[in-house]
Amino acid sequence: MNWLKKNIPLFIVIVVILVLFVFMNKKEASSPLSASLISSEPADSAESPLAVETIEEKERVAVVDIKGEVVRPGVYEIDEGDRVQDIIERAEGFTEDADIFQVNLAQIVQDEMVVLIPAVGQEGDPANSLAGEQTNNNKVKINSATREELTQLPGIGPAKAEAIIAHRDNHGQFQKAEDLLDISGIGKKTLETLIEHIQVP
C-alpha cells in the first residue's frame, strides 16, 4: 500500500501522457491539412484537359468539277488516289447519252481538275475535258495530251506516248518536266528536246 502511495505521482504522469497522446492523434486526424493530404490522390490523366485534347491537322480539301453527261454534275471532294470512275460514281453515273468511249475511267483525278463527259457524237471541249489540248503557243500539255498529240512531239513515238499516258494514269499528273525522266526510254537528251515543246503546270 505504501508502494502505491509512493508511486501515485508516477501514475499521474503516465495518465497525462496517455491523454495528451490520444488528444494529439485526434487533432491530427481532424486537421484540414492532414485530411487534404490523405484524400489527395494523383489526378486521373483522363480528367486532364491536356490529356484529352488532341491536335488534328486539317487536310487540304481537294475538289474536282465534273460536267456533261452525268446524272448529277457538280463539284465533288476527292480522296488521294481517286480515279475518274470514282467521281462518276459519286455523280450517280452516266446519262443515256454519254459517250463512255471518250472517257478514261482509270485516270487519277487531281485538285481543280475539270472532268467533261461528252455526249455521243460530241467532241470533248478542248478547254475543259480530259482530252488532250495544246496551248496558244503550240506547246503540248503533257498532263492532258492524247496519244496522237504526244506522238507529235520530237522523239516521242507511239510506245513512249503510251508510256507517258500510263505513268500519268498510275502516278498522277506531272509536276515538272523532269518527272518525264521516270519513264523508261526518256533520257536527259530527249527531255532537253521536249522542254521547249511541252507545258507542265
Side-chain angles (χ1 to χ4, degrees):
M1 196 70 173
N2 291 333
W3 178 86
L4 182 60
K5 288 180 178 181
K6 290 179 180 180
N7 290 283
I8 285 176
L10 178 62
F11 286 131
I12 292 174
V13 172
I14 293 173
V15 170
V16 170
I17 291 173
L18 289 175
V19 170
L20 289 174
F21 180 78
V22 171
F23 178 77
M24 291 298 294
N25 282 344
K26 288 183 177 180
K27 185 175 181 181
E28 289 178 1
S30 61
S31 170
L33 177 60
S34 60
S36 64
L37 291 175
I38 293 172
S39 62
S40 63
E41 297 178 355
D44 188 355
S45 60
E47 297 177 357
S48 172
L50 294 177
V52 173
E53 291 180 1
T54 56
I55 301 175
E56 297 182 355
E57 295 183 358
K58 291 185 177 180
E59 296 183 356
R60 178 175 178 268
V61 176
V63 295
V64 62
D65 184 8
I66 184 167
K67 302 177 182 293
E69 298 301 322
V70 287
V71 176
R72 295 180 64 86
V75 176
Y76 292 87
E77 292 186 5
I78 60 175
D79 298 322
E80 184 178 355
D82 274 355
R83 298 178 184 270
V84 172
Q85 175 67 42
D86 300 315
I87 305 305
I88 291 173
E89 289 177 357
R90 294 180 197 176
E92 299 186 9
F94 295 111
T95 66
E96 295 180 356
D97 297 327
D99 186 353
I100 63 174
F101 296 104
Q102 293 194 55
V103 183
N104 182 359
L105 298 176
Q107 183 170 3
I108 295 176
V109 292
Q110 304 290 330
D111 187 26
E112 301 181 1
M113 179 182 284
V114 177
V115 180
L116 176 63
I117 309 301
V120 175
Q122 173 189 358
E123 293 185 2
D125 183 351
N128 296 318
S129 71
L130 291 178
E133 57 181 289
Q134 292 187 341
T135 63
N136 293 333
N137 56 8
N138 293 324
K139 288 189 176 182
V140 174
K141 291 186 176 181
I142 61 171
N143 280 326
S144 56
T146 62
R147 182 179 61 177
E148 289 73 19
E149 289 172 334
L150 290 171
T151 55
Q152 295 175 11
L153 293 169
I156 302 298
K160 288 182 181 179
E162 290 289 352
I164 291 173
I165 294 174
H167 188 280
R168 191 173 66 196
D169 291 344
N170 294 327
H171 301 285
Q173 294 191 345
F174 299 100
Q175 302 301 314
K176 55 185 183 300
E178 288 73 14
D179 291 342
L180 289 170
L181 295 174
D182 295 335
I183 299 173
S184 177
I186 297 181
K188 291 184 178 180
K189 290 184 178 181
T190 302
L191 180 61
E192 290 175 359
T193 305
L194 290 173
I195 285 179
E196 61 184 60
H197 299 285
I198 62 175
Q199 178 176 327
V200 184

